[in-house]
């Protein structure tokens, strides 16, 4: 901390209770009362330094009760008795020390007392202004000066001390951020920015701020500004925005600031604990600090924080935004504030975690454990942003369908397997997230079927490459709601595409008695169709290999090889690979496969006839599974579906 020594004489002031006395040979002839404190002083030192005291003393008319003593009242002096004590010491030329904690109040008191150079050269106003310039050049001292200015806010505003502190801090932070960004990206800094943080503001060295090359993080200033009051922090953020600071840095500072004082962002944190930790610093009380803020103060604080966040997508983490949303519901914040948060979350929903999305239902009419309506609105905002082309990495429905069909047919190109896999589209990530969310809320007995269906139906079918997730959520819902009628079950199962279930999910569905019979038949039918398509694809590959004159047993040539689904590519190059050719050892295998296809077609026709004849679905369960050849598979398979 920078300091400045003033005065040369030894201390002559003694405090006796609430009275300050100057221990000199001359008796005091003036009493200055500031609040409860009384200062017994002498007229001459005061008249030679202060124009206001000179005028007050000259205008004073003694009364008989004063005993000839001049008594002055200065209750409205900025800084109170402490500031006047320092000013009196300066008038007596007694040694005193200026620092960042007292310079603002002393400068305001000097202005109030009119201690200009008109009465004495190098008077207190000039001395305080000179030292204030050094304070503004140092980051830590400037922070302390800004904090202490709240005690004399009106006078500090009139003297532009607050605006000068904020401008200095904003300039230093912006230059530091630009330097850190340039060093990280290896680019030239912006115009006016310097990599040397010792020359960040008007060419004056900051002294204690780290250099960009020292490896210091770009967020080194977050903690310092988090101790400011909300009004000061808002003005600092606005000044940084005016100086074109990156939105990411501003959002980082806001998140740090809110995390220190706002409850709900961390489930174990409390507002009182945060403010008590902040009390370890020697600063003035904040508007939001103290022994705990009321619910109204916390609500105002949250709404202001939400309004401060930059509008740019992704600068604030989705977890932070969801924490703000939970707190906003707890504090019953304004609908505009909650809608703002929901829109922000919806715009970047693909970055959310399932745990953070489980927002407790804190409404006045609680029906479900979690706030389903809130998540539905967030999902609607996400889909709106995708429709507007705002989602990054958007994949068109046609591309997703083509990719899904290619994966089902097992006809991926060799070069595609070797290439780097493309990034998962945001809508596919949200589809997976919502499937997990539906599975979490499905056990709630109070969750009505229309609400469950409405939430599941928001995500389009093309967003799910595989429907195992939605099937799992549906199965959990059916298990937790056994009173659903057959028509309601069929209506629920329309959310699932049976063609997009994995083999494991199909095996589970084949023995799932909670599913309607119509759905089970569809699952079995499409699984048989998938098998036939795969066999046809193998024949197609085999025929191409024979037409091209491919040698079936040449090393490295696997044309016409049957590679069962799920097998390793390395296994297909071994001697166990079955090669289908018009002639040779593979011809017997081809005959067997053709016979199996014929049997499957016959079973399919028999199955359709059996379904028409069956009257009660549940009595025909075992017969149906035996007809389809799934009885043995079900007994051997151990499905991993948690809904079972």
């Amino acid at each position: 901390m920078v300091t400045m020594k003033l005065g040369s004489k030894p201390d002559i002031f003694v405090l006796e209770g609430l009275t300050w006395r100057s221990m000199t040979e001359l008796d005091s002839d003036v009493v200055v009362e500031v609040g409860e404190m009384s200062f017994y002083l002498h007229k001459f030192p005061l008249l030679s330094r202060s124009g206001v005291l000179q005028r007050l003393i000259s205008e004073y008319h003694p009364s008989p009760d004063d005993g000839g003593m001049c008594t002055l009242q200065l209750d409205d002096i900025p800084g109170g008795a402490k500031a006047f004590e320092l000013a009196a010491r300066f008038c007596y030329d007694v040694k005193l020390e200026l620092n960042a904690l007292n310079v603002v109040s002393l400068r305001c008191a000097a202005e109030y007392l009119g201690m200009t150079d008109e009465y004495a050269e190098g008077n207190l106003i000039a001395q305080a202004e000179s030292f204030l310039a050094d304070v503004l050049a140092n980051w830590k001292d400037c922070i302390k000066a800004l904090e202490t200015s709240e005690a004399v806010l009106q006078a500090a505003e009139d003297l532009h001390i607050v605006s000068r502190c904020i401008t200095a801090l904003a300039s230093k932070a912006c230059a530091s951020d630009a330097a850190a960004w340039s060093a990280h990206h290896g680019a030239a800094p912006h115009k006016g920015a310097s990599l040397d943080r010792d020359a960040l503001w008007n060419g004056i060295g900051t002294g204690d701020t780290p250099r960009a090359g020292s490896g210091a993080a770009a967020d080194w200033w977050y903690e310092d500004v988090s101790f400011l009051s909300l009004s000061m922090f808002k003005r600092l953020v606005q000044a940084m925005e005016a100086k074109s600071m990156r939105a990411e840095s501003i959002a980082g500072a806001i998140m740090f600031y809110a995390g220190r004082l706002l409850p709900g962002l961390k489930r174990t944190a409390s507002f009182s604990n945060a403010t008590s930790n902040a009390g370890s610093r020697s600063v003035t009380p904040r508007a939001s600090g103290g022994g705990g803020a009321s619910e109204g103060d916390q609500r105002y604080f949250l709404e202001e924080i939400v309004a401060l966040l930059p509008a740019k997508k992704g600068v604030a983490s989705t977890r932070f935004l969801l924490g703000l949303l939970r707190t906003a519901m707890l504090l019953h914040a304004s609908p505009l504030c909650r809608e703002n948060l929901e829109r922000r979350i919806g715009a970047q929903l693909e970055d959310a975690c399932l745990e953070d999305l489980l927002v407790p239902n804190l409404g006045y009419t609680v029906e479900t454990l979690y706030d389903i309506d809130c998540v539905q609105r967030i999902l609607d905002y996400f889909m709106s942003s995708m429709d507007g082309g705002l989602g990054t990495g958007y994949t068109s429905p046609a591309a997703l369908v083509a990719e899904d069909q290619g994966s089902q047919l097992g006809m991926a190109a060799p070069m595609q397997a070797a290439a780097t896999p493309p990034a998962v589209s945001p809508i596919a990530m949200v589809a997976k997230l919502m499937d997990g969310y539906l599975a979490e809320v499905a056990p709630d007995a109070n969750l009505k079927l229309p609400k469950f269906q409405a939430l599941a139906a928001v995500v389009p079918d093309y967003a799910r490459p595989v429907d195992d997730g939605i099937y799992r959520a549906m199965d959990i819902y059916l298990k937790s709601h056994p009173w659903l009628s057959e028509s309601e079950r069929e209506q629920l199962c329309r959310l699932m595409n049976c063609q997009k279930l994995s083999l494991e999910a199909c095996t589970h569905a084949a023995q799932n008695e909670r599913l309607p019979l119509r759905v089970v038949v569809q699952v079995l039918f499409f699984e048989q169709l998938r098998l036939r398509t795969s066999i046809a694809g193998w024949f197609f590959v085999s025929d191409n290999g024979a037409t091209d004159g491919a040698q079936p047993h040449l090393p490295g040539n696997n044309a016409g090889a049957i590679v069962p689904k799920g097998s390793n590519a390395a296994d297909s190059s071994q001697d166990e690979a079955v090669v289908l050719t018009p002639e040779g050892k593979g011809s017997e295998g081809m005959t067997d496969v053709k016979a199996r296809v014929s049997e499957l077609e016959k079973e399919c026709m028999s199955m359709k006839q059996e379904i028409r004849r069956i009257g009660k679905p549940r009595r025909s369960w075992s017969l149906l599974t035996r007809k389809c050849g799934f009885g043995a598979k079900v007994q051997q398979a151990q499905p991993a579906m948690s809904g079972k």
Side-chain angles (χ1 to χ4, degrees):
M1 181 188 298
V2 295
T3 58
M4 182 178 182
K5 307 289 184 180
L6 296 179
S8 58
K9 296 180 180 179
D11 191 3
I12 59 172
F13 288 91
V14 176
L15 177 62
E16 298 176 353
L18 298 177
T19 302
W20 282 96
R21 297 184 182 275
S22 58
M23 305 303 294
T24 61
E25 297 177 356
L26 300 176
D27 293 335
S28 300
D29 54 4
V30 61
V31 178
V32 180
E33 295 181 351
V34 182
E36 297 180 351
M37 300 294 296
S38 299
F39 295 85
Y40 286 80
L41 306 173
H42 302 86
K43 293 181 180 179
F44 178 75
L46 302 180
L47 295 175
S48 63
R49 296 284 187 174
S50 172
V52 172
L53 292 178
Q54 185 182 96
R55 176 177 56 82
L56 292 176
I57 292 174
S58 63
E59 295 175 352
Y60 181 75
H61 299 288
S63 62
D65 298 336
D66 294 338
M69 183 78 72
C70 178
T71 304
L72 306 176
Q73 294 284 343
L74 298 179
D75 292 335
D76 55 346
I77 182 173
K82 183 63 177 176
F84 181 79
E85 176 199 343
L86 296 176
R89 290 174 181 272
F90 180 82
C91 293
Y92 280 83
D93 198 26
V94 172
K95 294 179 180 179
L96 64 98
E97 180 180 278
L98 291 183
N99 54 50
L101 298 176
N102 60 23
V103 64
V104 176
S105 60
L106 186 58
R107 172 65 182 88
C108 295
E111 187 71 22
Y112 175 87
L113 296 172
M115 303 178 70
T116 64
D117 287 354
E118 179 183 351
Y119 300 95
E121 185 178 357
N123 210 345
L124 185 56
I125 290 179
Q127 297 287 353
E129 278 292 339
S130 175
F131 179 70
L132 191 58
D134 295 336
V135 170
L136 295 178
N138 186 285
W139 172 269
K140 296 282 188 183
D141 291 337
C142 191
I143 287 284
K144 294 175 182 176
L146 183 59
E147 290 173 340
T148 57
S149 65
E150 294 192 65
V152 290
L153 186 57
Q154 187 57 52
E157 291 282 11
D158 294 340
L159 296 174
H160 305 290
I161 295 176
V162 175
S163 60
R164 290 155 63 190
C165 289
I166 289 176
T167 301
L169 292 173
S171 299
K172 296 174 192 294
C174 289
S176 172
D177 182 67
W181 188 91
S182 300
H184 179 71
H185 291 82
H190 297 291
K191 183 178 180 180
S194 172
L195 290 178
D196 188 354
R197 295 186 189 173
D198 281 341
L200 295 179
W201 184 71
N202 287 350
I204 303 175
T206 60
D208 62 340
T209 53
R211 295 178 181 269
S214 62
D219 58 354
W220 59 269
W221 52 276
Y222 288 2
E223 183 175 5
D224 292 331
V225 301
S226 69
F227 287 95
L228 297 175
S229 67
L230 179 59
S231 60
M232 292 297 181
F233 182 78
K234 283 178 59 178
R235 294 177 60 177
L236 179 60
V237 168
Q238 292 167 357
M240 292 176 176
E241 290 177 342
K243 293 181 178 295
S244 301
M245 175 178 274
R246 293 184 305 119
E248 291 80 3
S249 298
I250 293 178
I254 293 174
M255 288 190 291
F256 193 98
Y257 185 77
R260 176 177 289 276
L261 296 179
L262 195 63
L265 300 182
K266 296 180 180 178
R267 301 176 187 270
T268 58
S270 65
F271 193 90
S272 57
N273 290 340
T275 53
S276 63
N277 293 336
S280 60
R281 289 176 54 139
S282 300
V283 296
T284 56
R286 299 170 181 77
S288 60
S294 65
E295 181 176 321
D297 292 337
Q298 295 180 39
R299 180 167 55 250
Y300 172 77
F301 179 85
L302 181 139
E303 292 174 353
E304 291 295 322
I305 286 295
V306 173
L308 271 181
L309 284 171
K312 183 179 178 182
K313 173 186 173 182
V315 294
S317 67
T318 310
R319 167 165 289 187
F320 171 76
L321 295 176
L322 284 166
L324 284 179
L325 182 58
R326 285 196 306 269
T327 309
M329 292 178 174
L330 180 65
L331 298 175
H332 305 292
S334 65
L336 182 62
C337 174
R338 284 179 285 178
E339 181 184 358
N340 188 356
L341 287 170
E342 289 173 358
R343 287 185 180 275
R344 289 176 180 270
I345 296 169
Q348 55 191 65
L349 184 58
E350 66 272 15
D351 299 328
C353 297
L354 177 58
E355 179 184 1
D356 299 323
L357 204 60
L358 297 173
V359 180
N361 198 337
L362 302 174
Y364 293 104
T365 57
V366 178
E367 294 182 357
T368 57
L369 178 62
Y370 298 109
D371 197 331
I372 310 296
D373 295 332
C374 172
V375 176
Q376 174 117 31
R377 291 192 298 269
I378 292 174
L379 187 57
D380 289 336
Y381 290 138
F382 170 79
M383 296 305 302
S384 299
S385 68
M386 296 298 294
D387 294 339
L390 300 179
T392 57
Y394 177 75
T395 303
S396 64
L400 284 172
V401 171
E403 180 182 354
D404 178 49
Q405 290 177 349
S407 61
Q408 288 185 9
L409 294 177
M411 299 173 63
M415 294 182 62
Q416 181 180 358
T420 303
V424 180
S425 64
I427 195 168
M429 297 170 64
V430 169
K432 182 178 180 181
L433 176 67
M434 296 314 300
D435 290 347
Y437 180 82
L438 290 169
E440 288 292 332
V441 302
D444 192 344
N446 294 326
L447 179 58
K448 305 301 182 184
L449 178 60
K451 184 171 291 189
F452 184 89
Q453 287 178 292
L455 183 59
V458 175
V459 179
D461 180 67
Y462 66 81
R464 295 185 176 96
V466 180
D467 271 18
D468 287 13
I470 188 65
Y471 167 67
R472 174 175 177 267
M474 288 168 40
D475 187 48
I476 295 175
Y477 187 85
L478 290 173
K479 184 177 181 180
S480 304
H481 300 75
W483 54 84
L484 293 179
S485 64
E486 190 73 13
S487 60
E488 289 176 330
R489 293 171 183 267
E490 291 184 357
Q491 186 179 2
L492 175 64
C493 291
R494 292 173 187 171
L495 298 171
M496 176 183 63
N497 188 346
C498 298
Q499 302 182 60
K500 296 164 64 175
L501 292 178
S502 67
L503 177 61
E504 183 182 16
C506 288
T507 305
H508 186 277
Q511 62 173 344
N512 192 345
E513 297 187 359
R514 290 184 287 271
L515 296 179
L517 179 61
R518 183 189 301 272
V519 177
V520 176
V521 171
Q522 290 178 354
V523 170
L524 298 177
F525 174 77
F526 286 120
E527 182 62 20
Q528 184 191 42
L529 182 62
R530 182 187 305 175
L531 177 60
R532 293 181 60 187
T533 305
S534 300
I535 294 174
W538 292 338
F539 284 142
F540 177 76
V541 174
S542 175
D543 292 342
N544 285 344
T547 303
D548 296 339
Q551 299 298 327
H553 295 289
L554 290 178
N557 187 355
N558 292 329
I562 294 181
V563 184
K565 183 177 181 180
S567 62
N568 296 327
D571 295 338
S572 63
S573 62
Q574 303 300 325
D575 294 337
E576 293 83 0
V578 180
V579 180
L580 297 179
T581 58
E583 56 184 359
K585 297 181 180 179
S587 58
E588 297 178 0
M590 182 187 301
T591 303
D592 295 338
V593 171
K594 289 182 178 180
R596 179 56 180 162
V597 171
S598 178
E599 292 177 5
L600 289 174
E601 292 176 348
K602 294 178 181 179
E603 290 180 3
C604 183
M605 294 299 297
S606 175
M607 179 179 62
K608 291 180 180 179
Q609 296 174 1
E610 193 71 28
I611 291 174
R612 296 191 189 99
R613 189 178 58 84
I614 291 176
K616 295 183 180 181
R618 295 308 174 195
R619 286 183 4 189
S620 61
W621 184 264
S622 59
L623 177 61
L624 177 61
T625 54
R626 287 198 304 270
K627 282 284 184 181
C628 298
F630 275 83
K633 295 182 181 178
V634 169
Q635 294 178 0
Q636 296 175 1
Q638 297 295 331
M641 310 299 292
S642 60
K644 178 64 182 172

